[in-house]
Amino acid sequence: MKVKYYTGRTLAEAIGRAKREHGSDIILLDSKELKTGNNGSKLVQVSISVDEKKSRVKPWTPPSVNNALYKPKQESEVETREDFNAVISKILARKPKTLDQEKQILEELAELKEQISQLQIKNAGEEIKLPPNYQTVLQEMIKKGFSRKMAEALIKKTYQFTPSGPNASLREIIRAVKNELRPKFKIYDLNKSKKKSDHRVIMLVGPTGAGKTTMTMKLAAHPRIFAQKETVIISADPYGPSEALKAFSKMSGVPVIEKKREDELSSIMQKLDRYEVVLVDVAGNSPFAPNFLKKMEEYVKIVKPDEIILVAAMNMDIDDLFASAALYLLLKPSGIILTKFDETTRVGKFFSLMEELELPVAAFGEGKRIFIDIALPEESYIFEKVFEEKA
Ligand SMILES: Nc1nc2c(ncn2[C@@H]2O[C@H](COP(=O)(O)OP(=O)(O)O)[C@@H](O)[C@H]2O)c(=O)[nH]1
Ligand SMILES: [Mg+2]
């Protein structure tokens, strides 16, 4: 089998020449455009397979003709004899080009996909189209520390379900938002023991400076929490009890037992049966310190608390709050106390935190004064701070 090449101004012309010489049964192998001359005029070259032993080759189907419009000024005819395999390898050699094109298309598609997803992210971040009253409440909520995601979801839901729809008053919208928030607020009543016996060991855990020692005193002193109960405070701080704790003990009559070493702590824990409430104020540990969890677990093993309460300060950045609280969750706390409400204007953080942690709230701290700056876990406390109106 031999391969022959013919050229013409058009594909039809090139094929016509091939057919004139070899009859209409030629096999068309390939066709391509050739650039000739400096003026960029073009010719079409076809390669055909010719069986020289036979006078007629296999039936030939006319290919579709294109490129019929251009008019090259000169024409030339190239005829070469080549081995069929050489042509095949030439065609195969052109394959990477096709692959390159495919690759390019795939890359373009990937880029397009990326652009679409970027557009979606951008749209999600853009102001959602809401009636003005809804916009006002949304902006207020974001200003008050709600995460944008949570505030938008709440407002959208409210818009969908408020009967007066776009005409809802600010008051109606706020009432509807409160109804959505209410289930996120769960109360942990410290006054009610989870045990049948009247001896409870409660351990407060949380980052250094969160207000654990202060809150231990506040809980012991509060008339509706532990003031009416036989309470003892165990200070397990390696640096000893603070001056404030010593002064509080003198003033309130609540004994404070200082245990610096772990072996001391385990022996004393067994001799406290006569107290109704044992409050264990452990040393603050950074949850990001090495061995943090191991150390806390050792404490838990020695103290054997009936309840673990996590203490966190509201003046922390929301991401830091999440990050440290998430680690303490590994100790399986039963409730949370949030302190330093007097040091933040972004009280809405509270709901974003509750949504993630799902812990019931045992108390709020709102200042340094032991006998005054504590609030019981009531939703009105938070709602008043967030929406600045009486519930
Ligand atoms: N403003 C404010 N300060 C607080 C509050 N609770 C505790 N503090 C102060 O925060 C600091 C650390 O409190 P402390 O109880 O020692 O934290 P601990 O390391 O977790 O035991 C002290 O100066 C406290 O007086 C609060 O609710 N508001
Ligand atoms: Mg302390």
Side-chain angles (χ1 to χ4, degrees), residues 145-169:
F146 280 86
S147 67
R148 177 175 277 275
K149 189 174 145 224
M150 188 180 183
E152 279 184 355
L154 277 167
I155 289 288
K156 276 185 192 168
K157 201 167 173 193
T158 304
Y159 183 31
Q160 275 169 348
F161 294 106
T162 304
S164 38
N167 305 317
S169 66

PDB file of all heavy atoms in Angstrom, residues 145-169:
ATOM      1  N   GLY A 145     -22.905  41.692  68.025  1.00  0.00           N
ATOM      2  CA  GLY A 145     -22.000  40.557  68.172  1.00  0.00           C
ATOM      3  C   GLY A 145     -22.495  39.234  67.634  1.00  0.00           C
ATOM      4  O   GLY A 145     -21.783  38.229  67.703  1.00  0.00           O
ATOM      5  N   PHE A 146     -23.702  39.190  67.077  1.00  0.00           N
ATOM      6  CA  PHE A 146     -24.143  37.945  66.431  1.00  0.00           C
ATOM      7  C   PHE A 146     -23.251  37.712  65.218  1.00  0.00           C
ATOM      8  O   PHE A 146     -22.881  38.690  64.540  1.00  0.00           O
ATOM      9  CB  PHE A 146     -25.582  38.074  65.913  1.00  0.00           C
ATOM     10  CG  PHE A 146     -26.638  37.907  66.964  1.00  0.00           C
ATOM     11  CD1 PHE A 146     -27.051  38.992  67.722  1.00  0.00           C
ATOM     12  CD2 PHE A 146     -27.221  36.672  67.196  1.00  0.00           C
ATOM     13  CE1 PHE A 146     -28.035  38.854  68.684  1.00  0.00           C
ATOM     14  CE2 PHE A 146     -28.206  36.527  68.162  1.00  0.00           C
ATOM     15  CZ  PHE A 146     -28.613  37.615  68.911  1.00  0.00           C
ATOM     16  N   SER A 147     -22.937  36.473  64.928  1.00  0.00           N
ATOM     17  CA  SER A 147     -22.188  36.223  63.697  1.00  0.00           C
ATOM     18  C   SER A 147     -23.136  36.581  62.547  1.00  0.00           C
ATOM     19  O   SER A 147     -24.355  36.408  62.660  1.00  0.00           O
ATOM     20  CB  SER A 147     -21.764  34.762  63.608  1.00  0.00           C
ATOM     21  OG  SER A 147     -22.887  33.934  63.451  1.00  0.00           O
ATOM     22  N   ARG A 148     -22.568  37.104  61.441  1.00  0.00           N
ATOM     23  CA  ARG A 148     -23.396  37.514  60.301  1.00  0.00           C
ATOM     24  C   ARG A 148     -24.238  36.342  59.816  1.00  0.00           C
ATOM     25  O   ARG A 148     -25.424  36.481  59.521  1.00  0.00           O
ATOM     26  CB  ARG A 148     -22.498  38.024  59.173  1.00  0.00           C
ATOM     27  CG  ARG A 148     -23.260  38.396  57.914  1.00  0.00           C
ATOM     28  CD  ARG A 148     -22.344  39.006  56.888  1.00  0.00           C
ATOM     29  NE  ARG A 148     -22.144  40.411  57.128  1.00  0.00           N
ATOM     30  CZ  ARG A 148     -22.970  41.364  56.684  1.00  0.00           C
ATOM     31  NH1 ARG A 148     -24.032  41.049  55.985  1.00  0.00           N
ATOM     32  NH2 ARG A 148     -22.725  42.616  56.937  1.00  0.00           N
ATOM     33  N   LYS A 149     -23.602  35.171  59.796  1.00  0.00           N
ATOM     34  CA  LYS A 149     -24.289  33.979  59.282  1.00  0.00           C
ATOM     35  C   LYS A 149     -25.547  33.694  60.113  1.00  0.00           C
ATOM     36  O   LYS A 149     -26.627  33.478  59.580  1.00  0.00           O
ATOM     37  CB  LYS A 149     -23.312  32.796  59.366  1.00  0.00           C
ATOM     38  CG  LYS A 149     -23.781  31.558  58.682  1.00  0.00           C
ATOM     39  CD  LYS A 149     -22.677  30.510  58.702  1.00  0.00           C
ATOM     40  CE  LYS A 149     -23.284  29.127  58.842  1.00  0.00           C
ATOM     41  NZ  LYS A 149     -22.591  28.295  59.781  1.00  0.00           N
ATOM     42  N   MET A 150     -25.367  33.740  61.434  1.00  0.00           N
ATOM     43  CA  MET A 150     -26.493  33.423  62.311  1.00  0.00           C
ATOM     44  C   MET A 150     -27.576  34.508  62.206  1.00  0.00           C
ATOM     45  O   MET A 150     -28.765  34.206  62.121  1.00  0.00           O
ATOM     46  CB  MET A 150     -25.999  33.312  63.753  1.00  0.00           C
ATOM     47  CG  MET A 150     -27.063  32.798  64.693  1.00  0.00           C
ATOM     48  SD  MET A 150     -26.423  32.690  66.382  1.00  0.00           S
ATOM     49  CE  MET A 150     -27.838  31.994  67.206  1.00  0.00           C
ATOM     50  N   ALA A 151     -27.143  35.781  62.196  1.00  0.00           N
ATOM     51  CA  ALA A 151     -28.107  36.884  62.143  1.00  0.00           C
ATOM     52  C   ALA A 151     -28.908  36.825  60.844  1.00  0.00           C
ATOM     53  O   ALA A 151     -30.132  36.967  60.860  1.00  0.00           O
ATOM     54  CB  ALA A 151     -27.376  38.212  62.260  1.00  0.00           C
ATOM     55  N   GLU A 152     -28.237  36.576  59.723  1.00  0.00           N
ATOM     56  CA  GLU A 152     -28.932  36.522  58.436  1.00  0.00           C
ATOM     57  C   GLU A 152     -29.931  35.372  58.393  1.00  0.00           C
ATOM     58  O   GLU A 152     -31.057  35.533  57.926  1.00  0.00           O
ATOM     59  CB  GLU A 152     -27.927  36.386  57.287  1.00  0.00           C
ATOM     60  CG  GLU A 152     -27.312  37.719  56.910  1.00  0.00           C
ATOM     61  CD  GLU A 152     -26.380  37.627  55.701  1.00  0.00           C
ATOM     62  OE1 GLU A 152     -26.140  36.504  55.209  1.00  0.00           O
ATOM     63  OE2 GLU A 152     -25.903  38.689  55.264  1.00  0.00           O
ATOM     64  N   ALA A 153     -29.497  34.227  58.914  1.00  0.00           N
ATOM     65  CA  ALA A 153     -30.390  33.062  58.906  1.00  0.00           C
ATOM     66  C   ALA A 153     -31.632  33.352  59.745  1.00  0.00           C
ATOM     67  O   ALA A 153     -32.759  33.042  59.330  1.00  0.00           O
ATOM     68  CB  ALA A 153     -29.653  31.839  59.434  1.00  0.00           C
ATOM     69  N   LEU A 154     -31.425  33.986  60.896  1.00  0.00           N
ATOM     70  CA  LEU A 154     -32.552  34.293  61.794  1.00  0.00           C
ATOM     71  C   LEU A 154     -33.514  35.289  61.152  1.00  0.00           C
ATOM     72  O   LEU A 154     -34.726  35.109  61.191  1.00  0.00           O
ATOM     73  CB  LEU A 154     -32.031  34.892  63.101  1.00  0.00           C
ATOM     74  CG  LEU A 154     -31.556  33.893  64.152  1.00  0.00           C
ATOM     75  CD1 LEU A 154     -30.779  34.601  65.240  1.00  0.00           C
ATOM     76  CD2 LEU A 154     -32.743  33.157  64.754  1.00  0.00           C
ATOM     77  N   ILE A 155     -32.949  36.325  60.541  1.00  0.00           N
ATOM     78  CA  ILE A 155     -33.798  37.359  59.948  1.00  0.00           C
ATOM     79  C   ILE A 155     -34.552  36.821  58.730  1.00  0.00           C
ATOM     80  O   ILE A 155     -35.738  37.091  58.550  1.00  0.00           O
ATOM     81  CB  ILE A 155     -32.957  38.613  59.568  1.00  0.00           C
ATOM     82  CG1 ILE A 155     -32.511  39.334  60.845  1.00  0.00           C
ATOM     83  CG2 ILE A 155     -33.700  39.558  58.663  1.00  0.00           C
ATOM     84  CD1 ILE A 155     -33.630  40.068  61.580  1.00  0.00           C
ATOM     85  N   LYS A 156     -33.879  36.022  57.919  1.00  0.00           N
ATOM     86  CA  LYS A 156     -34.548  35.443  56.744  1.00  0.00           C
ATOM     87  C   LYS A 156     -35.724  34.581  57.185  1.00  0.00           C
ATOM     88  O   LYS A 156     -36.807  34.633  56.611  1.00  0.00           O
ATOM     89  CB  LYS A 156     -33.562  34.578  55.947  1.00  0.00           C
ATOM     90  CG  LYS A 156     -32.721  35.374  54.976  1.00  0.00           C
ATOM     91  CD  LYS A 156     -31.869  34.407  54.164  1.00  0.00           C
ATOM     92  CE  LYS A 156     -30.802  35.112  53.383  1.00  0.00           C
ATOM     93  NZ  LYS A 156     -29.805  34.187  52.837  1.00  0.00           N
ATOM     94  N   LYS A 157     -35.464  33.774  58.221  1.00  0.00           N
ATOM     95  CA  LYS A 157     -36.521  32.884  58.730  1.00  0.00           C
ATOM     96  C   LYS A 157     -37.682  33.720  59.272  1.00  0.00           C
ATOM     97  O   LYS A 157     -38.853  33.430  59.016  1.00  0.00           O
ATOM     98  CB  LYS A 157     -35.930  31.998  59.833  1.00  0.00           C
ATOM     99  CG  LYS A 157     -36.732  30.760  60.056  1.00  0.00           C
ATOM    100  CD  LYS A 157     -35.994  29.762  60.911  1.00  0.00           C
ATOM    101  CE  LYS A 157     -36.913  28.602  61.254  1.00  0.00           C
ATOM    102  NZ  LYS A 157     -36.373  27.776  62.303  1.00  0.00           N
ATOM    103  N   THR A 158     -37.328  34.769  60.006  1.00  0.00           N
ATOM    104  CA  THR A 158     -38.351  35.642  60.582  1.00  0.00           C
ATOM    105  C   THR A 158     -39.192  36.269  59.478  1.00  0.00           C
ATOM    106  O   THR A 158     -40.417  36.326  59.567  1.00  0.00           O
ATOM    107  CB  THR A 158     -37.659  36.757  61.405  1.00  0.00           C
ATOM    108  OG1 THR A 158     -36.835  36.124  62.370  1.00  0.00           O
ATOM    109  CG2 THR A 158     -38.659  37.626  62.119  1.00  0.00           C
ATOM    110  N   TYR A 159     -38.531  36.717  58.436  1.00  0.00           N
ATOM    111  CA  TYR A 159     -39.222  37.355  57.310  1.00  0.00           C
ATOM    112  C   TYR A 159     -40.219  36.385  56.675  1.00  0.00           C
ATOM    113  O   TYR A 159     -41.338  36.742  56.325  1.00  0.00           O
ATOM    114  CB  TYR A 159     -38.184  37.842  56.287  1.00  0.00           C
ATOM    115  CG  TYR A 159     -38.761  38.590  55.105  1.00  0.00           C
ATOM    116  CD1 TYR A 159     -39.915  39.346  55.215  1.00  0.00           C
ATOM    117  CD2 TYR A 159     -38.109  38.546  53.869  1.00  0.00           C
ATOM    118  CE1 TYR A 159     -40.430  40.039  54.124  1.00  0.00           C
ATOM    119  CE2 TYR A 159     -38.614  39.236  52.779  1.00  0.00           C
ATOM    120  CZ  TYR A 159     -39.780  39.972  52.913  1.00  0.00           C
ATOM    121  OH  TYR A 159     -40.289  40.650  51.840  1.00  0.00           O
ATOM    122  N   GLN A 160     -39.786  35.127  56.567  1.00  0.00           N
ATOM    123  CA  GLN A 160     -40.655  34.129  55.937  1.00  0.00           C
ATOM    124  C   GLN A 160     -41.895  33.836  56.782  1.00  0.00           C
ATOM    125  O   GLN A 160     -42.966  33.574  56.257  1.00  0.00           O
ATOM    126  CB  GLN A 160     -39.890  32.823  55.741  1.00  0.00           C
ATOM    127  CG  GLN A 160     -39.099  32.810  54.463  1.00  0.00           C
ATOM    128  CD  GLN A 160     -38.145  31.634  54.404  1.00  0.00           C
ATOM    129  OE1 GLN A 160     -37.912  30.943  55.391  1.00  0.00           O
ATOM    130  NE2 GLN A 160     -37.590  31.397  53.247  1.00  0.00           N
ATOM    131  N   PHE A 161     -41.723  33.846  58.104  1.00  0.00           N
ATOM    132  CA  PHE A 161     -42.802  33.355  58.963  1.00  0.00           C
ATOM    133  C   PHE A 161     -43.585  34.438  59.712  1.00  0.00           C
ATOM    134  O   PHE A 161     -44.556  34.123  60.379  1.00  0.00           O
ATOM    135  CB  PHE A 161     -42.256  32.308  59.948  1.00  0.00           C
ATOM    136  CG  PHE A 161     -41.801  31.065  59.248  1.00  0.00           C
ATOM    137  CD1 PHE A 161     -40.449  30.775  59.092  1.00  0.00           C
ATOM    138  CD2 PHE A 161     -42.729  30.182  58.699  1.00  0.00           C
ATOM    139  CE1 PHE A 161     -40.025  29.633  58.425  1.00  0.00           C
ATOM    140  CE2 PHE A 161     -42.319  29.043  58.028  1.00  0.00           C
ATOM    141  CZ  PHE A 161     -40.974  28.767  57.883  1.00  0.00           C
ATOM    142  N   THR A 162     -43.152  35.693  59.635  1.00  0.00           N
ATOM    143  CA  THR A 162     -43.909  36.732  60.327  1.00  0.00           C
ATOM    144  C   THR A 162     -45.182  37.025  59.522  1.00  0.00           C
ATOM    145  O   THR A 162     -45.087  37.322  58.327  1.00  0.00           O
ATOM    146  CB  THR A 162     -43.055  38.010  60.489  1.00  0.00           C
ATOM    147  OG1 THR A 162     -41.864  37.642  61.153  1.00  0.00           O
ATOM    148  CG2 THR A 162     -43.772  39.065  61.310  1.00  0.00           C
ATOM    149  N   PRO A 163     -46.358  36.928  60.167  1.00  0.00           N
ATOM    150  CA  PRO A 163     -47.615  37.067  59.411  1.00  0.00           C
ATOM    151  C   PRO A 163     -47.716  38.383  58.627  1.00  0.00           C
ATOM    152  O   PRO A 163     -48.185  38.377  57.491  1.00  0.00           O
ATOM    153  CB  PRO A 163     -48.688  36.999  60.500  1.00  0.00           C
ATOM    154  CG  PRO A 163     -48.040  36.314  61.651  1.00  0.00           C
ATOM    155  CD  PRO A 163     -46.590  36.623  61.580  1.00  0.00           C
ATOM    156  N   SER A 164     -47.243  39.496  59.217  1.00  0.00           N
ATOM    157  CA  SER A 164     -47.388  40.760  58.473  1.00  0.00           C
ATOM    158  C   SER A 164     -46.269  40.969  57.449  1.00  0.00           C
ATOM    159  O   SER A 164     -46.195  42.040  56.835  1.00  0.00           O
ATOM    160  CB  SER A 164     -47.473  41.928  59.447  1.00  0.00           C
ATOM    161  OG  SER A 164     -46.613  41.726  60.531  1.00  0.00           O
ATOM    162  N   GLY A 165     -45.416  39.972  57.266  1.00  0.00           N
ATOM    163  CA  GLY A 165     -44.407  39.978  56.204  1.00  0.00           C
ATOM    164  C   GLY A 165     -43.622  41.270  56.104  1.00  0.00           C
ATOM    165  O   GLY A 165     -43.075  41.744  57.095  1.00  0.00           O
ATOM    166  N   PRO A 166     -43.599  41.900  54.907  1.00  0.00           N
ATOM    167  CA  PRO A 166     -42.759  43.094  54.720  1.00  0.00           C
ATOM    168  C   PRO A 166     -43.216  44.304  55.537  1.00  0.00           C
ATOM    169  O   PRO A 166     -42.457  45.240  55.724  1.00  0.00           O
ATOM    170  CB  PRO A 166     -42.896  43.381  53.213  1.00  0.00           C
ATOM    171  CG  PRO A 166     -44.083  42.608  52.749  1.00  0.00           C
ATOM    172  CD  PRO A 166     -44.257  41.460  53.666  1.00  0.00           C
ATOM    173  N   ASN A 167     -44.469  44.268  56.026  1.00  0.00           N
ATOM    174  CA  ASN A 167     -44.976  45.419  56.781  1.00  0.00           C
ATOM    175  C   ASN A 167     -44.762  45.292  58.284  1.00  0.00           C
ATOM    176  O   ASN A 167     -45.259  46.132  59.050  1.00  0.00           O
ATOM    177  CB  ASN A 167     -46.478  45.598  56.508  1.00  0.00           C
ATOM    178  CG  ASN A 167     -46.755  45.714  55.020  1.00  0.00           C
ATOM    179  OD1 ASN A 167     -46.030  46.404  54.322  1.00  0.00           O
ATOM    180  ND2 ASN A 167     -47.766  45.006  54.545  1.00  0.00           N
ATOM    181  N   ALA A 168     -44.047  44.246  58.705  1.00  0.00           N
ATOM    182  CA  ALA A 168     -43.875  44.015  60.149  1.00  0.00           C
ATOM    183  C   ALA A 168     -43.161  45.198  60.809  1.00  0.00           C
ATOM    184  O   ALA A 168     -42.242  45.784  60.234  1.00  0.00           O
ATOM    185  CB  ALA A 168     -43.090  42.738  60.369  1.00  0.00           C
ATOM    186  N   SER A 169     -43.597  45.528  62.023  1.00  0.00           N
ATOM    187  CA  SER A 169     -42.945  46.607  62.767  1.00  0.00           C
ATOM    188  C   SER A 169     -41.666  46.062  63.396  1.00  0.00           C
ATOM    189  O   SER A 169     -41.481  44.843  63.508  1.00  0.00           O
ATOM    190  CB  SER A 169     -43.881  47.117  63.869  1.00  0.00           C
ATOM    191  OG  SER A 169     -44.060  46.083  64.822  1.00  0.00           O
TER     192      SER A 169
END
